[in-house]
Each structure stands twice: as C-alpha cells, then as structure tokens.
Amino acid sequence: MGAMKLNERSVAHYALSDSPADHTGFLRTWGGAGTPPTPSGAGRRCWFVLKGNLLFSFESREGRAPLSLVVLEGCTVELAEAPVPEEFAFAIRFDAPGVRPHLLAADGPAAQEAWVKALSRASFGYMRLVVRELESQLREARHSLDLHRRSSWKAVSSRCKPQAPDRWSSGLENGNSLSRDCSPMGLVEEGGSRPAGRGLAEWELQGPASLLLGRGQSPVSPETSCFSTLHEWYGREIMELRRAWLQRAQENQPECKDQDRP
C-alpha cells in the first residue's frame, strides 16, 4: 500500500473548522505521532476529535494545532490492556505490516464503549456496507409495496365483476343507481334523474359520462373500468333519452287527434 500524502494546512483547517464532530472527549494515549510516551509510563492525556474517518488529537480542549492525526481506513478497533492498571484501554490496529497500533484509554467503561463504537463506524468501508444494506431494504420495501398494490387492485376488481344479464335489465328498467362497490366516488345521482338546475337538452348533450369528465373523473379510469359500471352509466343516459322521447310523443298525440276530427 502506497504512502498517503496530506496537505497539513488543509488538514489543520478542517480540524479547527465549525463542521460538526462525530465524537469528542479526553483519552489517554501511549506513543503515536506527535504524542511521545511520558517518562512515568502513565501516558499522555489529550483531547480527541473524530470527524468522519479522521481522528485528531489536541493538547487541550482549546488547542489550536493538532498534535496527531489517524486516518481510520484499513484498521480494526478492539479492546486492549493498558500499561497502567484500572485503565479502560482499546487499540486501533492496522492491517498493513510494520504499522504500530495506537493504544488509547478512556476514563470509564461507558466512554470506552462509546469510543470503540464511534471509531469502528468511521471508515468508508463501513459506510459502504451501510449503504448496501439500506439499498437492499429499499428494494424489499418497493417490492412489498408493489405486491400490496397488486393485491388491492385484484380485490377492487373482484368487487366489480360483471353482473348477470337479468340483473342488468332489471336495474335499467327500475332506474336503480350503481352499487357503492362499483361507484366509490358517488358521482352519478341516484334514481337515474338528471342533476338539479340542468335542462333536458343539456343533459342529453352531456350525459353521465360527460358529467364525470367535467368533475375530473374519466369513465375509463382504473377506478371505473369494470364493465358493469360502464354499462350502467351509458344505459342510464339511453333510458333518460327514451323517457324524453316518450314524453314528447304523448304530448303530440292530442294535437294529432284534434286535427283528425271533421
């Protein structure tokens, strides 16, 4: 693996920038770049800042220059034994040969667990695994949604099955309205009557299908695609026209009789 080159000024600017940190806290460290071991062997207490896959250390919380930088790629984080007893230590070990592990220790077991989790999830390799898992879950969710939509559509279609011919004729003769299952929107008035406030000529020109279109509903849309619904709609229009024709014929019959008299 080739050596990585970093621009020190850019790295220092990023370390001190206002970008949010993923984890911060005091840790005790033994060795590592910029943090030589103390003569007593107790380690050196520094302020650590984790941003993305970069782990910075500072002299103090108010430090303005990073003491060290660890790039968390190609490494593992595991619990370890500290040189000093009663220390909650862990180590950052790299896969590359000849790279010395970074030994760190937290102030307590809770801080130790939090640091181990944060450092283990900081690499791009971990993020790639998370993205793949989320993509897999998204595909499964889309597949489940597609199956749910298909089952719902089948259920609606089964409720709108064509009726028997005798039921069609009786429904048209009696002027019965559509069932709620086949007409969920309730767009056609019951009893086969035309809408209030509309003349017969206007109703003859528009009819039930045109009424649905005027309200933004197509008679051949998925919600109204069953045959019995379409048959009922256009049958109601024909029955209305037939009633109007019979009415006009009855009105003209007396005039014809008067003309026939001597």
Side-chain angles (χ1 to χ4, degrees), residues 13-169:
H13 180 269
Y14 176 66
L16 300 173
S17 65
D18 296 333
S19 60
D22 297 306
H23 203 71
T24 59
F26 282 103
L27 294 174
R28 193 173 297 278
T29 178
W30 287 266
T35 56
T38 57
S40 60
R44 185 174 183 177
R45 184 178 172 84
C46 299
W47 176 256
F48 282 82
V49 176
L50 175 63
K51 287 187 175 184
N53 63 342
L54 302 179
L55 179 63
F56 300 94
S57 66
F58 295 87
E59 183 73 25
S60 63
R61 190 193 299 262
E62 296 78 17
R64 304 303 302 172
L67 296 178
S68 65
L69 167 64
V70 179
V71 181
L72 300 170
E73 294 295 338
C75 62
T76 57
V77 183
E78 56 189 32
L79 301 180
E81 294 183 3
V84 180
E86 299 181 358
E87 291 285 352
F88 301 92
F90 56 93
I92 303 175
R93 304 184 184 276
F94 291 88
D95 300 334
V99 180
R100 185 173 57 180
H102 293 265
L103 185 61
L104 306 169
D107 295 335
Q112 179 191 43
E113 181 180 0
W115 271 109
V116 170
K117 288 183 178 180
L119 296 175
S120 300
R121 300 171 181 176
S123 66
F124 282 112
Y126 178 82
M127 293 302 298
R128 281 193 295 267
L129 293 177
V130 172
V131 170
R132 291 174 183 173
E133 178 64 23
L134 292 177
E135 290 176 345
S136 176
Q137 294 179 11
L138 180 59
R139 286 193 298 267
E140 293 178 359
R142 288 176 174 174
H143 181 66
S144 300
L145 180 60
D146 184 60
L147 293 178
H148 176 71
R149 288 176 176 174
R150 292 182 181 180
S151 60
S152 300
W153 174 242
K154 289 181 180 179
V156 173
S157 301
S158 63
R159 292 199 300 268
C160 296
K161 291 182 178 179
Q163 300 177 354
D166 57 344
R167 296 184 62 182
W168 295 345
S169 58

